[in-house]
């Protein structure tokens, strides 16, 4: 997993000084409290304003058809993604001006799912579902969530939603997933079947597979898994290796990374 460090913060205050410096070798991950009815765009807009050194009113946010927030008129080289689940909100930021500098984040509360294998057979690849089925029953649920958030994070980074299909981003585990210490087993991206970042249309769909000449494109993706107060999350990004720095709101408190 990607190395990270925890910098505990007080309850989120967009006026805190000094604002943390986001360099080209880092990703900032904010874990914040969220209540139903809150707009995640408020905290997102405030953070963007601070990172871009502009006023919040100058941040012109909208959502694309897949629900991903984006800037109508980018004011700096900031890339970002947001996700919320239960009482938690996560915001992820990196700096990058190239087309391949992409980032997506997903967070899911790990509530019991009695039909884990049935859902995996429906939404995952056959190989992923078989990998889950081979696990002891007590380990299937955690592995299911790890697959799920990694898939959503990659699809978000590419500007795609769940409707595109979770099976379009396939993952494999490096190591023995049956080991009770699942945290020591890394996820890796095995294949992608998505439109290119430059042309998001069905006609532009391309298959990137580790077995063909596009293996370097898959190798360019990085994952960082994390846990936070009965939830599991994942950041996916492309472009270069980066260090993840986490900023933790007053609640929920972050747990050690997965």
């Amino acid at each position: 997993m990607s190395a990270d460090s925890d910098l505990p913060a007080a309850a989120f205050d967009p006026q805190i000084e000094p604002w943390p410096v986001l360099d080209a070798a880092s990703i900032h991950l904010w874990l914040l409290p969220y209540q139903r009815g809150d707009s995640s765009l408020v905290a997102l807009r405030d953070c963007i304003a601070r990172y871009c050194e502009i006023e919040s009113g100058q941040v012109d946010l909208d959502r694309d058809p897949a629900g991903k927030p984006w800037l109508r008129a980018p004011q700096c080289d900031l890339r970002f993604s947001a996700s919320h689940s239960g009482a938690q909100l996560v915001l992820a930021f990196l700096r990058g001006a190239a087309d391949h500098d992409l980032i997506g984040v997903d967070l899911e509360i790990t509530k019991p799912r009695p039909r884990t294998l049935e859902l995996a057979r429906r939404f995952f690849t056959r190989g992923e579902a078989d990998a889950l089925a081979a696990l002891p029953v007590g380990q299937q649920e955690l592995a299911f969530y790890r697959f799920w958030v990694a898939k959503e994070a990659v699809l978000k980074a590419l500007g795609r939603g769940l409707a595109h299909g979770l099976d379009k981003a396939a993952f494999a585990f490096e190591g023995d997933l049956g080991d009770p210490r699942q945290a020591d087993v890394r996820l890796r991206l095995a294949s992608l079947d998505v439109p290119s970042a430059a042309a998001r249309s069905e006609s532009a769909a391309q298959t990137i597979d580790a077995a063909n000449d596009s293996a370097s494109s898959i190798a360019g993706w990085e994952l960082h898994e994390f846990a936070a107060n009965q939830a599991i999350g994942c950041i996916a990004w492309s472009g270069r290796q980066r260090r993840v720095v986490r900023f933790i709101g007053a609640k929920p408190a972050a747990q050690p990374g997965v």
Side-chain angles (χ1 to χ4, degrees):
M1 293 183 188
S2 304
D4 75 304
S5 60
D6 292 328
L7 301 180
F12 178 66
D13 178 2
Q15 303 305 317
I16 62 173
E17 296 292 350
W19 187 259
V21 176
L22 175 61
D23 59 41
S26 301
I27 287 174
H28 283 184
L29 175 67
W30 291 83
L31 296 97
L32 306 171
Y34 178 86
Q35 294 182 349
R36 187 178 298 276
D38 283 357
S39 172
S40 59
L41 294 184
V42 174
L44 180 59
R45 180 179 288 107
D46 288 339
C47 284
I48 291 172
R50 293 305 307 271
Y51 283 121
C52 293
E53 299 182 343
I54 59 177
E55 297 296 325
S56 293
Q58 296 177 272
V59 180
D60 190 6
L61 279 174
D62 199 353
R63 292 185 184 273
D64 65 18
K68 180 181 174 67
W70 62 284
L71 284 171
R72 293 179 185 269
Q75 286 111 333
C76 67
D77 61 345
L78 191 69
R79 302 296 178 99
F80 55 86
S81 184
S83 181
H84 65 82
S85 184
Q88 301 173 84
L89 168 69
V90 291
L91 306 175
F93 302 89
L94 64 76
R95 292 200 181 277
D99 287 341
H100 58 260
D101 288 321
L102 307 173
I103 187 170
V105 66
D106 189 56
L107 181 75
E108 297 289 340
I109 295 293
T110 53
K111 57 187 177 182
R113 288 186 177 273
R115 299 184 296 117
T116 296
L117 290 181
E118 180 181 335
L119 290 170
R121 295 290 184 196
R122 180 178 178 185
F123 294 109
F124 293 178
T125 67
R126 180 175 180 178
E128 291 166 339
D130 288 344
L132 290 182
L135 291 174
V137 173
Q139 297 178 28
Q140 291 174 356
E141 194 169 273
L142 174 58
F144 173 87
Y145 277 109
R146 291 183 67 185
F147 273 130
W148 188 286
V149 295
K151 288 169 174 288
E152 279 219 59
V154 169
L155 291 178
K156 284 184 175 182
L158 292 163
R160 311 298 294 185
L162 286 177
H164 186 66
L166 289 175
D167 60 332
K168 302 302 183 183
F171 290 84
F173 282 99
E174 294 180 340
D176 180 12
L177 189 56
D179 190 319
R181 299 167 300 172
Q182 280 196 35
D184 297 328
V185 182
R186 291 172 55 96
L187 266 179
R188 64 174 176 83
L189 183 61
S191 66
L192 273 173
D193 183 5
V194 295
S196 65
R200 295 173 181 171
S201 64
E202 294 304 319
S203 61
Q206 57 181 351
T207 298
I208 307 172
D209 191 276
N212 65 23
D213 294 337
S214 298
S216 60
S217 297
I218 293 176
W221 284 90
E222 299 284 339
L223 301 176
H224 175 84
E225 297 179 84
F226 60 92
N229 197 27
Q230 300 182 337
I232 187 171
C234 182
I235 311 172
W237 72 93
S238 66
R240 59 179 296 180
Q241 292 186 348
R242 299 174 191 255
R243 181 177 66 104
V244 176
V245 182
R246 297 194 289 187
F247 298 88
I248 308 166
K251 61 179 184 179
Q255 304 297 320
V258 174

